Amino acid sequence: MKTTIEIRICLGSSCFARGNDRVLEIMKAYIEEHQLKAEIDFRGHLCAGDCINGPVIAIAGKAYYHVNPDMIESLLDSHFSILKA
């Protein structure tokens, strides 16, 4: 049985306006490029209630705060390098 890794991205107005709009597009492209769709449960949600620390994403239950487009690819690489090997 394959393990599915959950990714959650806050798409509330604060996180979205502060960069998660671009982060979302980068993450979608990464998942497609690395053919990870079957291994990932990727969902957006409205406000995570942690706006002061936004933009917020969570990967495999670990929350990341103040994310920006420049850090997403290396963050995803650190989580999915095992799957890509």
Side-chain angles (χ1 to χ4, degrees):
M1 182 173 167
K2 280 190 174 181
T3 301
T4 302
I5 297 172
E6 291 185 353
I7 298 178
R8 301 293 179 259
I9 181 168
C10 182
L11 298 176
S13 59
S14 177
C15 284
F16 194 78
R18 290 170 35 195
N20 266 359
D21 59 336
R22 293 183 310 270
V23 168
L24 174 64
E25 295 307 316
I26 293 167
M27 291 175 89
K28 286 175 15 182
Y30 183 96
I31 291 166
E32 184 176 327
E33 178 183 340
H34 296 285
Q35 301 174 348
L36 296 170
K37 190 173 181 178
E39 288 85 14
I40 295 175
D41 178 9
F42 183 44
R43 298 177 193 216
H45 59 82
L46 295 180
C47 188
D50 207 0
C51 301
I52 196 165
N53 292 311
V56 178
I57 65 169
I59 301 173
K62 179 175 170 61
Y64 294 91
Y65 304 102
H66 306 287
V67 298
N68 65 65
D70 294 333
M71 66 190 286
I72 292 304
E73 190 165 340
S74 64
L75 184 61
L76 292 170
D77 281 344
S78 71
H79 277 276
F80 299 109
S81 60
I82 294 169
L83 294 177
K84 296 186 317 182

